Amino acid sequence: GGTGGTGGSTATGSTSTSSTGTTTPSGETVTLVMDSFDIAPGEEVYKCQNFANPFGGDVDVSVFESHMTAGSHHLLLFYKPVAQDGPLQDCSGLEFAATPYSTQLPDDSVAFPPGVAATIPEGTGLRLQSHYLNTTASTVTAHVEMTFHLAAPGTVKDRSAVMFIVQ
């Protein structure tokens, strides 16, 4: 993965410059990395970051994978039409949009069955929302990354849809 804040965007060989989160290729994957942030002892925060579409065209995602520093409560990935790369920002835990992936685990993934994928159109950007609660006596520096494993061309027969359930 890359580092947030100072890097560029790289998606399967094409490069564009960004002053915010970074995307890095790893074979047939693209990883978004939120800028790191500190959480003081006893502090609860919601942090969000927008990303322009890093893929350079329509893509089919066969696996969503995420990694978060300990202390995380959840991560939500939103589709955000025409989003541009943006800085890390405070945000509300009450925002919702089409959500192709969410987790409450520090390390998690969702894989579709063979032949199924989530299509992300070229003009659709992404927004990551992370929620942290620091229950320790020390400051925690949060690291959040989201990896998209792309389906091989010609292998997708069915497209997944977005369903959001709140319990």
Side-chain angles (χ1 to χ4, degrees):
T3 57
T6 58
S9 290
T10 306
T12 351
S14 63
T15 303
S16 62
T17 304
S18 168
S19 62
T20 59
T22 304
T23 59
T24 55
S26 176
E28 295 297 320
T29 67
V30 173
T31 299
L32 299 178
V33 179
M34 291 180 73
D35 293 338
S36 295
F37 53 94
D38 290 335
I39 307 126
E43 184 178 27
E44 178 178 23
V45 299
Y46 289 88
K47 296 288 186 178
C48 292
Q49 191 160 3
N50 293 337
F51 298 88
N53 184 303
F55 306 108
D58 295 352
V59 295
D60 291 316
V61 178
S62 58
V63 179
F64 292 98
E65 176 186 349
S66 62
H67 302 282
M68 301 181 290
T69 306
S72 61
H73 177 263
H74 73 256
L75 173 68
L76 299 174
L77 170 68
F78 298 128
Y79 289 142
K80 187 152 181 84
V82 298
Q84 298 299 311
D85 289 334
L88 183 74
Q89 57 187 245
D90 292 331
C91 57
S92 165
L94 299 177
E95 69 178 294
F96 296 98
T99 309
Y101 177 83
S102 63
T103 185
Q104 288 189 290
L105 300 175
D107 299 292
D108 200 7
S109 65
V110 169
F112 295 107
V116 178
T119 299
I120 301 177
E122 180 176 4
T124 300
L126 303 160
R127 180 173 177 86
L128 290 175
Q129 179 200 86
S130 61
H131 177 206
Y132 274 80
L133 176 60
N134 183 356
T135 60
T136 72
S138 302
T139 297
V140 171
T141 299
H143 177 83
V144 178
E145 64 180 61
M146 180 81 227
T147 299
F148 304 82
H149 297 259
L150 306 182
T155 63
V156 177
K157 297 176 187 148
D158 295 303
R159 304 292 192 266
S160 71
V162 173
M163 183 163 81
F164 188 74
I165 300 171
V166 178
Q167 297 180 349

